[in-house]
């Protein structure tokens, strides 16, 4: 990894090469992101045909700037990019983000070769791209995304960092994360990966203290051996959740035309995932399900899970879902079950799954969860609360939040229903308790957490 890659995320001065006065142009949107966002460094628009843009002095070229420039964001037509890289190199720019397209992804190999030659001449200056959205860092305020804020919601600050080979898919991920209130630390769309590839970005995020979990959308790999070695090393430091496009024959052909890279054999990739300790997700929803559990839940001590529910059918479905995971049903001790039996009617099933029945009230739930948390034979809990029953009232949110605020075991909540249920789920999530609408989603997320800490290391 190039040590100067840090300037792509933490630059104190940025030049926008191709800054435009036209709000419909990429160069305008990128400049506006720096001017109206939360970036507090210096910004230099580069446009030889303008004196000022957005009340900032314009420069005809990057060489005309007398001050140091740490990051250059390039938005000019593709054929002009190799020369711009030369000028940035001579200027001493620390890093570049190349938004411009028109290279190997459209079969323009000659232009790609010219750009590669310019990059090779200034190897100390890492470049992200070309053909990408670039970088969003919610902490430093670096935002090179050429999608306006009124069209693409920027997510709140968080501990999840996302690497995406696809800019379009990445933008949808960010929009979705923003609407769901999922916190993002860094987002990187790296496009054709001509200078900085997925392995370099993994290495960077591994040493980034603000990142707790790394998510990756991958289509093709530039250097298989390098990726394998880096992925194996990084997954020992932090969980890496990966979803891959191009796993089918049709998808592989699409990958070649999208980013100009080869998708590779699906079976080989699955073997790489297993050998490196990466966490494989089958959908984008799973990616975020896993990521939010990794960022919120304590490390489970083992693989014994307790199911607690006020709906018997949901308990059965959850038990079924655990069958396909590294998780096993916990067996609570008689001492732990005794207070729960005392607080429950005779027809309640105080086993695993534990069915508190449809007339369970706040106290019955509180007693059950409190004793499951204390039991040494329980490593994690899937808690199913059907809020529609009249015996439960909204005080359950405050009570459960207080009980789980200092939990030392993972606790995932499952609920389902309309607006009433969703309102209560939202309240729990505001307290840092992760909720799911489907038992299988909670089971898979808990499996990923347990597998990362135990299963992949052959502890269970």
């Amino acid at each position: 990894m190039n040590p100067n890659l840090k300037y792509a995320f933490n630059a104190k001065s940025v030049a926008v090469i191709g800054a435009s006065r036209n709000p419909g142009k990429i160069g305008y949107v990128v400049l506006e992101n720096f001017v109206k966002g939360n970036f507090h460094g210096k910004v230099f628009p580069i446009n030889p045909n303008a004196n000022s843009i957005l009340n900032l002095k314009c420069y005809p070229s990057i060489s005309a700037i007398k001050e140091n420039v740490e990051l250059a964001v390039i938005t000019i037509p593709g054929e002009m990019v190799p020369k711009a890289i030369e000028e940035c190199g001579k200027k001493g720019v620390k890093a570049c983000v190349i938004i411009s397209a028109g290279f190997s992804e459209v079969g323009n190999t000659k232009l790609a070769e010219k750009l590669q030659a310019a990059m090779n001449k200034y190897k100390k200056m890492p470049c992200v791209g070309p053909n990408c959205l670039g970088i969003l860092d919610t902490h430093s305020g670096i935002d090179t995304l050429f999608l306006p804020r009124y069209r693409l919601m920027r997510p709140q600050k968080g501990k999840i960092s996302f690497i995406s080979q696809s800019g379009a898919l990445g933008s949808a991920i960010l929009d979705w994360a923003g609407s769901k209130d999922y916190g993002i630390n860094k987002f990187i769309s790296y496009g054709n990966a001509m200078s900085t590839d997925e392995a370099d970005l993994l290495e960077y995020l591994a040493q980034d203290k603000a990142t707790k979990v790394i998510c990756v959308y991958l289509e093709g790999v530039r250097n298989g051996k390098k990726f394998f070695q880096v992925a194996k090393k990084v997954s020992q430091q932090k969980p890496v959740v990966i979803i891959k496009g191009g796993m089918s024959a049709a998808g592989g052909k699409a990958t070649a035309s999208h980013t100009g890279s080869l998708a590779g054999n699906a079976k080989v990739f699955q073997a790489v995932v297993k050998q490196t300790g990466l966490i494989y997700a089958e959908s984008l929803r799973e990616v975020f399900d896993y990521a939010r559990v990794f960022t919120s839940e304590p490390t489970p001590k083992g693989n014994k899970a307790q199911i607690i529910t006020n709906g018997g059918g949901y308990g059965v479905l959850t038990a079924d879902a655990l069958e396909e995971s590294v998780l096993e049903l916990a067996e609570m001790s008689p001492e732990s079950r005794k207070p729960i039996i005392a607080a429950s009617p005779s027809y309640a099933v105080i086993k695993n799954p534990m069915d508190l029945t449809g007339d369970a009230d706040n106290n019955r739930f509180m007693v059950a969860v409190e004793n499951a948390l204390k039991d040494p034979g329980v490593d994690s809990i899937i808690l199913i609360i059907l809020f529609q029953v009249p015996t439960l009232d909204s005080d359950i949110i405050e009570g459960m939040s207080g009980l789980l605020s200092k939990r030392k075991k993972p606790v995932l909540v499952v609920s389902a229903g309309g607006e009433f249920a969703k309102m209560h789920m939202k309240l729990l999530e505001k307290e840092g308790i992760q909720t799911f609408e489907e038992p299988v989603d909670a089971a898979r997320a808990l499996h990923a957490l347990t597998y990362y800490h135990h299963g992949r290391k052959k502890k269970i």
Side-chain angles (χ1 to χ4, degrees), residues 117-344:
M119 289 176 173
N120 291 343
K121 193 173 177 181
Y122 298 99
K123 286 188 175 180
K124 289 185 178 180
M125 181 180 70
C127 298
V128 176
N131 180 36
C132 70
L133 274 175
I135 290 167
L136 171 69
D137 188 311
T138 59
H139 292 269
S140 70
I142 296 288
D143 183 354
T144 74
L145 313 186
F146 58 82
L147 303 167
R149 289 167 181 261
Y150 70 89
R151 289 177 181 256
L152 175 70
M153 184 184 295
R154 274 24 174 201
Q156 62 186 359
K157 292 179 183 178
K159 299 175 183 177
I160 302 170
S161 286
F162 207 110
I163 301 169
S164 178
Q165 197 163 6
S166 165
L169 184 135
S171 65
I173 288 167
L174 283 176
D175 211 14
W176 189 48
S179 68
K180 292 280 188 180
D181 292 330
Y182 296 155
I184 297 290
N185 176 34
K186 292 175 174 63
F187 167 83
I188 310 110
S189 155
Y190 64 101
N192 295 8
M194 290 180 65
S195 165
T196 302
D197 63 18
E198 53 284 329
D200 297 318
L201 295 167
L202 275 175
E203 269 193 304
Y204 176 80
L205 293 175
Q207 53 85 42
D208 177 41
K209 292 179 181 179
T211 297
K212 190 169 181 181
V213 58
I214 304 168
C215 299
V216 184
Y217 170 74
L218 194 65
E219 290 181 0
V221 176
R222 286 283 167 184
N223 185 326
K225 185 178 180 181
K226 176 184 175 184
F227 177 78
F228 182 90
Q229 291 172 341
V230 170
K232 193 171 186 178
K233 177 184 171 185
V234 173
S235 67
Q236 299 298 317
Q237 300 169 262
K238 295 176 183 178
V240 180
V241 182
I242 191 162
I243 181 170
K244 188 176 185 302
M247 294 289 271
S248 66
K253 289 179 182 178
T255 291
S257 63
H258 184 202
T259 57
S261 60
L262 297 176
N265 184 281
K267 288 184 179 179
V268 171
F269 183 76
Q270 287 167 347
V272 168
V273 167
K274 191 170 184 180
Q275 291 173 40
T276 55
L278 300 174
I279 308 294
Y280 183 70
E282 294 183 356
S283 68
L284 287 173
R285 185 174 69 175
E286 275 193 5
V287 169
F288 275 103
D289 281 350
Y290 297 176
R292 60 194 175 103
V293 166
F294 275 116
T295 57
S296 69
E297 298 308 302
T299 301
K301 291 182 179 179
N303 69 328
K304 302 295 190 293
Q306 176 67 47
I307 302 166
I308 301 173
T309 180
N310 62 339
Y314 272 87
V316 173
L317 288 173
T318 306
D320 286 345
L322 295 187
E323 280 289 315
E324 301 176 11
S325 72
V326 297
L327 295 156
E328 296 176 4
L329 292 178
E331 188 172 334
M332 289 179 66
S333 68
E335 291 77 17
S336 296
R337 289 190 291 118
K338 193 178 293 183
I340 308 172
I341 292 170
S344 305

